Amino acid sequence: MGLQPLEFSDCYLDSPWFRERIRAHEAELERTNKFIKELIKDGKNLIAATKTLSAAQRKFAHSLRDFKFEFIGDAETDDERCIDASLREFSNFLKNLEEQREIMALSVTETLIKPLEKFRKEQLGAVKEEKKKFDKETERNYSLIDKHLNLSAKKKDSHLQEADIQVEQNRQHFYELSLEYVCKLQEIQERKKFEFVEPMLSFFQGMFTFYHQGHELAKDFNHYKMELQINIQNTRNRFEGTRSEVEELMNKIRQNPKDHKRASQFTAEGYLYVQEKRPPPFGSSWVKHYCMYRKAAKKFTMIPFEHRSGGKLGDGEVFFLKECIRRHTDSIDRRFCFDVEAADRPGISLTMQAFSEEERKQWLEVLGGKEALFPSFNRAIIPRPEGSAQLDKMGFTILRKCIRAVETRGINDQGLYRVVGVSSKVQRLLSMLMDVKTCNEVDLENSVDWEVKTITSALKQYLRSLPEPLMTYELHGDFIVPAKSGSPESRVNAIHFLVHKLPEKNKEMLDILVKHLTNVSNHSKQNLMTVANLGVVFGPTLMRPQEETVAAIMDLKFQNIVVEILIENHEKIFRTPPDATLPEPGPLSAPPNAPPRQSKRQGQRTKRPVAVYNLCLELEDGDRPSLPKEDTPPSSLDSLSSPSPTTATALGHPGPDRNHLLTDGGSFGDWAPTAALRDAGMNCDVGNLTLLCKLPHWPAMIPRMLAWDMGRLVRVKRPYSTRI
């Protein structure tokens, strides 16, 4: 089990368990910070002296092998598991390099040290500063509340009102800071996976470039590198989509926190100050407790907890409530007080103090006091507003009209379904399509009035407007489970079974849509919408949880995987019944191990030209189009929801459907890197002394490459790539 998600709604309760989860996230970040600091130190040792290079690399490899990423939620995607396993893979590569080392010319400073120092300073350092502000504001907030609650009720009303306003403003400021800190903690936990691994990947690529005798080992590394690129790109794409969803949820809760309270087993819960009476002449003291009440059983639980003393839980007390009575200020010199009496202690009452008059009224209502004016603490889940879109004959007509138009006019348009239309035009088209009077008059296939991006946006908007997502709330959790675990074959079987549990209309519409998306992905060389890109776009459209929480948003990446599986296995899932001999999908099982690295090849090495391996860094192309943002950028890399191709396939000669090298001189024969580039969808021109790559260590590499009489440099272009 990884780190538990930090819910924004918990910022307002600020419960002891919420603080425990925050400390777990902080401890993980501190562990990461220490590890990166140690890794930077190891990297500098590599530069310090060649004679100590071997020892430094062994230490470096040892550090990589022992570190493991923590993740938020209860499972990881295949991409994240591969990223997690990448550190152990890098460790193995280092050990192999020690056996073959002849020439070591490393540009570690630019490819590894500076990016890690930048990440540690700008990201982890920023979290440290946020933690200081959060701790300082916690101290200030609860100190001010203590001081405020000790105000005498006999003071002037104007003075008390002014104090109330000041405390409320301070509490709102504390909640704002708490929301931002929680968001930053979770963002850095997700960000570090690719922000840390990418510099590591650049380091390995640069090192292999300078290894002329290590060229054979670099060929082994190349296949793994290309797969890891896909893992990182997919993880980055999912991170961007998840981050926007998290920020949207945070803004919703910030605007109206009371409407987004989480469903709880308790009727009411929160902090109360409890009066502890002492024998004369010591008087009494007020101790802060976290209180929880179940109305059905009349069970009241209170646990002492003080934020400023390290957040340690005290011994709790449980009793069954007999009655609750409101206390007036003429009987006690404190505001917001009420008495509760336990059933097993008749005649003995406990005096409690709420944080405000509103909270006291809420407690009185829940506890059965006289003032029952406000709604209950434990709100039900707010249903999503239902649109006018329905799974009826009109809905199927809209779907088929849009699909026919897209396949007739725009199946090869770059960024299909990712590029959004103008909002006003989309709404106008959707209104006309959903109107019985005008639907038949709309000609999408032949009319130039409606752009393809307007049609695709209207189709997505229709699906999002359904009262219930196409894959239903009921089966949402069941679809997510197989995407989190099991082999590729078992995932397909489980989703195959679940699709046939959908209502007939849902399954019919899903069949039509997925068949269309399969056709779109078959034209990915032209429209650049691979299966992975379509999964990112349609995952949140076809699936969504009934309750919006951070934990649910963290499952967004698994929704994308489900859609990828549907597209890749459309014929099997929708055209054949599920295998009755297979067991029904069960609970989450142990995740599979990351794919193993290729074994070391045996035999005599052949002489080949030295390869430039720094192609996974972001490439520049001034001619590429600039498209508007939507969910995530399309990638030129394939989906990893199905098993990866074998090494022989990845490194073999291209077939007629592959992108070929355009050469103006020389021949690279069976040069593995160029074959791998063709598989990744990249076009290469050989013979130009230009490398359009963002390579920070590129100037240092040129004289060495010329000295090695490399003969040709490689000019690389990606067909299309946009980063949000």
Side-chain angles (χ1 to χ4, degrees):
M1 184 69 180
L3 296 172
Q4 295 186 28
L6 300 174
E7 299 292 348
F8 292 120
S9 57
D10 287 345
C11 294
Y12 293 86
L13 285 176
D14 202 10
S15 67
W17 300 274
F18 176 65
R19 288 289 177 147
E20 288 289 338
R21 291 195 290 271
I22 285 182
R23 281 196 294 274
H25 279 255
E26 291 171 347
E28 170 58 19
L29 288 182
E30 182 60 26
R31 188 170 73 94
T32 303
N33 183 46
K34 290 179 180 179
F35 170 70
I36 292 178
K37 183 178 179 181
E38 182 68 19
L39 200 61
I40 291 173
K41 179 181 177 182
D42 294 339
K44 289 181 178 179
N45 286 338
L46 296 176
I47 304 171
T50 304
K51 64 178 69 176
T52 60
L53 182 60
S54 180
Q57 283 185 328
R58 289 192 184 95
K59 175 65 172 65
F60 193 67
H62 184 74
S63 299
L64 290 174
R65 187 190 64 216
D66 289 349
F67 183 76
K68 187 180 186 305
F69 289 114
E70 287 292 348
F71 57 91
I72 298 176
D74 57 359
E76 295 177 288
T77 64
D78 289 345
D79 296 310
E80 290 172 328
R81 280 194 286 270
C82 289
I83 289 177
D84 291 343
S86 65
L87 300 185
R88 294 188 294 275
E89 294 295 329
F90 293 148
S91 175
N92 294 332
F93 282 128
L94 271 177
K95 292 177 182 178
N96 293 332
L97 281 173
E98 277 302 306
E99 299 172 359
Q100 305 175 23
R101 177 167 58 91
E102 290 187 14
I103 300 174
M104 286 292 178
L106 303 175
S107 55
V108 182
T109 301
E110 293 294 331
T111 59
L112 179 66
I113 303 300
K114 286 187 178 180
L116 289 182
E117 287 178 338
K118 181 180 179 182
F119 175 73
R120 185 166 171 261
K121 179 180 179 181
E122 295 181 1
Q123 301 297 332
L124 296 178
V127 173
K128 281 190 174 182
E129 291 300 319
E130 290 288 332
K131 181 182 185 303
K132 291 179 182 178
K133 289 167 58 179
F134 179 74
D135 291 341
K136 182 178 179 182
E137 193 62 28
T138 298
E139 176 72 23
R140 180 173 176 270
N141 179 63
Y142 287 102
S143 296
L144 187 60
I145 289 176
D146 286 350
K147 181 179 177 181
H148 179 65
L149 295 177
N150 283 317
L151 284 177
S152 172
K154 297 178 180 179
K155 289 184 177 292
K156 294 182 179 180
D157 289 342
S158 60
H159 181 76
L160 294 175
Q161 290 175 2
E162 182 179 353
D164 289 346
I165 293 173
Q166 182 182 0
V167 168
E168 185 61 28
Q169 290 175 347
N170 184 74
R171 289 177 70 186
Q172 289 300 320
H173 177 67
F174 172 71
Y175 293 150
E176 290 280 336
L177 191 65
S178 179
L179 286 170
E180 293 174 1
Y181 182 54
V182 165
C183 184
K184 187 67 177 177
L185 275 179
Q186 298 192 117
E187 177 181 332
I188 196 66
Q189 292 285 10
E190 290 292 300
R191 180 187 291 273
K192 69 181 182 181
K193 291 189 176 182
F194 54 83
E195 288 283 2
F196 172 70
V197 173
E198 277 189 325
M200 288 300 310
L201 195 56
S202 298
F203 161 72
F204 277 91
Q205 294 160 10
M207 184 171 61
F208 281 129
T209 303
F210 290 102
Y211 274 94
H212 183 64
Q213 294 297 325
H215 182 61
E216 287 297 318
L217 181 60
K219 286 177 61 178
D220 282 341
F221 173 74
N222 187 71
H223 175 68
Y224 179 76
K225 179 202 71 174
M226 300 303 292
E227 285 193 345
L228 186 58
Q229 275 185 258
I230 300 173
N231 301 142
I232 293 173
Q233 184 61 37
N234 289 345
T235 303
R236 182 191 294 277
N237 289 348
R238 289 164 182 151
F239 164 77
E240 295 291 350
T242 301
R243 183 175 65 174
S244 63
E245 294 285 338
V246 169
E247 289 175 351
E248 182 181 352
L249 177 59
M250 181 180 71
N251 291 331
K252 286 181 182 178
I253 293 181
R254 176 183 288 158
Q255 293 170 5
N256 201 348
K258 293 181 180 179
D259 289 343
H260 289 82
K261 291 185 180 293
R262 297 178 62 199
S264 172
Q265 58 179 322
F266 301 105
T267 312
E269 58 180 320
Y271 284 102
L272 292 171
Y273 279 77
V274 180
Q275 185 183 36
E276 294 186 354
K277 298 179 181 180
R278 299 176 182 174
F282 299 105
S284 62
S285 63
W286 294 82
V287 180
K288 185 170 60 180
H289 288 66
Y290 193 80
C291 301
M292 299 158 285
Y293 179 66
R294 287 191 179 94
K295 190 171 184 178
K298 288 195 172 185
K299 187 178 180 180
F300 196 98
T301 305
M302 57 184 192
I303 303 172
F305 183 80
E306 180 53 61
H307 292 81
R308 294 168 297 176
S309 63
K312 294 183 178 179
L313 287 171
D315 296 330
E317 181 180 354
V318 181
F319 60 85
F320 291 93
L321 182 71
K322 180 180 179 183
E323 63 177 351
C324 172
I325 303 172
R326 179 180 181 273
R327 287 289 294 269
H328 293 276
T329 53
D330 56 358
S331 63
I332 188 170
D333 192 21
R334 276 184 175 242
R335 300 184 300 158
F336 321 137
C337 293
F338 58 92
D339 290 342
V340 296
E341 184 177 337
D344 57 346
R345 287 173 278 182
I348 302 176
S349 62
L350 281 175
T351 301
M352 299 184 176
Q353 183 180 24
F355 283 2
S356 65
E357 181 62 27
E358 180 183 2
E359 290 188 14
R360 176 171 70 170
K361 290 179 179 179
Q362 292 175 348
W363 278 106
L364 286 173
E365 181 211 356
V366 172
L367 298 176
K370 295 180 180 179
E371 297 185 23
L373 302 177
F374 284 75
S376 170
F377 274 51
N378 189 16
R379 299 172 182 268
I381 297 172
I382 301 173
R384 296 174 181 266
E386 293 192 4
S388 56
Q390 298 292 334
L391 277 177
D392 52 11
K393 183 178 179 181
M394 179 63 68
F396 280 91
T397 301
I398 294 171
L399 186 74
R400 291 189 174 99
K401 266 182 170 288
C402 292
I403 288 176
R404 282 198 300 268
V406 171
E407 294 190 347
T408 302
R409 298 172 50 195
I411 195 69
N412 293 323
D413 288 4
Q414 288 191 359
L416 186 66
Y417 284 108
R418 193 194 73 85
V419 182
V420 296
V422 179
S423 178
S424 58
K425 292 183 178 180
V426 173
Q427 292 298 332
R428 186 158 61 92
L429 173 59
L430 195 57
S431 299
M432 294 178 66
L433 289 173
M434 297 178 70
D435 190 338
V436 179
K437 298 178 181 179
T438 59
C439 180
N440 293 328
E441 299 175 4
V442 179
D443 184 6
L444 299 179
E445 296 183 47
N446 303 308
S447 174
V448 296
D449 296 336
W450 304 106
E451 297 177 280
V452 173
K453 63 182 181 181
T454 304
I455 299 172
T456 57
S457 297
L459 174 58
K460 290 187 293 182
Q461 185 61 40
Y462 162 74
L463 293 172
R464 292 174 185 146
S465 302
L466 292 172
E468 187 178 28
L470 203 56
M471 298 175 74
T472 72
Y473 290 131
E474 181 183 356
L475 295 177
H476 177 84
D478 295 336
F479 275 111
I480 292 293
V481 168
K484 291 183 176 181
S485 63
S487 64
E489 183 181 359
S490 65
R491 294 179 184 180
V492 174
N493 291 333
I495 291 175
H496 188 186
F497 178 84
L498 292 170
V499 164
H500 285 262
K501 289 182 66 176
L502 289 170
E504 195 58 37
K505 286 187 176 180
N506 295 61
K507 188 176 73 171
E508 182 183 354
M509 182 169 285
L510 186 63
D511 180 11
I512 297 170
L513 178 64
V514 173
K515 180 181 179 181
H516 166 62
L517 296 181
T518 304
N519 189 22
V520 172
S521 67
N522 291 336
H523 292 77
S524 60
K525 287 188 177 181
Q526 291 77 33
N527 58 38
L528 303 177
M529 292 303 292
T530 62
V531 173
N533 294 331
L534 291 171
V536 171
V537 173
F538 279 91
T541 301
L542 301 178
M543 299 177 66
R544 63 176 182 266
Q546 194 162 11
E547 182 182 10
E548 286 185 298
T549 64
V550 174
I553 292 174
M554 290 302 167
D555 282 342
L556 191 64
K557 51 197 173 187
F558 298 108
Q559 297 175 194
N560 304 344
I561 293 174
V562 172
V563 175
E564 291 175 22
I565 292 173
L566 289 174
I567 296 173
E568 291 177 334
N569 302 275
H570 170 261
E571 286 297 321
K572 175 180 178 179
I573 290 176
F574 290 95
R575 299 292 177 265
T576 62
D579 190 347
T581 61
L582 295 175
E584 292 189 16
L588 190 65
S589 61
N593 294 326
R597 186 178 63 85
Q598 278 184 270
S599 60
K600 182 179 178 182
R601 294 194 306 274
Q602 304 293 330
Q604 185 67 24
R605 296 177 185 170
T606 57
K607 293 184 179 180
R608 293 185 178 90
V610 179
V612 180
Y613 280 83
N614 298 67
L615 302 176
C616 77
L617 302 179
E618 183 182 8
L619 306 177
E620 294 178 345
D621 188 350
D623 298 329
R624 71 186 179 194
S626 176
L627 297 180
K629 302 175 184 178
E630 196 195 39
D631 300 308
T632 55
S635 166
S636 61
L637 305 176
D638 291 331
S639 165
L640 281 188
S641 61
S642 58
S644 302
T646 62
T647 305
T649 303
L651 301 182
H653 294 286
D657 60 335
R658 305 255 183 177
N659 292 326
H660 289 271
L661 289 173
L662 303 176
T663 61
D664 58 358
S667 173
F668 279 65
D670 59 346
W671 187 35
T674 51
L677 293 176
R678 288 195 295 268
D679 288 340
M682 300 180 181
N683 297 325
C684 303
D685 282 348
V686 181
N688 298 301
L689 292 177
T690 306
L691 179 63
L692 297 180
C693 298
K694 289 183 178 177
L695 302 178
H697 55 284
W698 178 245
M701 293 166 57
I702 294 176
R704 291 174 173 81
M705 290 181 172
L706 295 179
W708 289 339
D709 191 19
M710 188 173 164
R712 293 286 189 272
L713 298 182
V714 183
R715 181 171 183 257
V716 182
K717 289 185 180 180
R718 283 188 183 178
Y720 179 65
S721 178
T722 306
R723 181 173 297 174
I724 294 180

